Amino acid sequence: MIFIIATGVILYSILIAWTWQCLGTLEKGKKLLFLLMGISIIYIITLIIFQIAKGGIIYEKVEMQNKVQNVLVAIFTGVNGMILVPQVARVMGQIKEEQIEKNQAKKKLIIIGIIFLFCISIEIGYMKSTQEGILKIYEAMK
């Protein structure tokens, strides 16, 4: 469990620092708001991914499902956040600093979105197999 917590702390520290830097000269309050909103949106998306991946998997106890869900969603939110949030922040920072036009920004955001959807499609299978693996380990320990 210590390994999982340490991994989460490292993931979120990198995510926050990377996103903060990508937002450039944006005011601190707006940077903080962007981070909170970005991580919250990614959390909701990751929770939906977990629910999709859980299809067909039967947990013996609701408590066990909740624990697995909490750990997987927390870790995958950090991973998904690193895929999406800093890239969107970079585009937002470039718009703020007038380095790119809105049409260019729109194209970049569409590409980022497509890449994220591709990653999600892979993640659903990975999260399903992870849950199945956890259940096999649990059954073997009984």
Side-chain angles (χ1 to χ4, degrees), residues 69-116:
Q69 175 180 314
N70 289 342
V71 170
L72 289 180
V73 170
I75 294 297
F76 278 94
T77 296
V79 172
N80 290 340
M82 291 228 272
I83 294 169
L84 187 65
V85 178
Q87 280 59 319
V88 172
R90 184 179 322 277
V91 173
M92 301 306 282
Q94 289 173 338
I95 291 171
K96 169 79 168 121
E97 295 172 7
E98 298 178 355
Q99 294 175 346
I100 61 172
E101 294 179 12
K102 292 197 179 202
N103 284 340
Q104 287 178 299
K106 190 183 259 185
K107 288 177 186 176
K108 285 185 176 190
L109 291 173
I110 289 170
I111 291 169
I112 291 167
I114 291 169
I115 291 168
F116 187 64

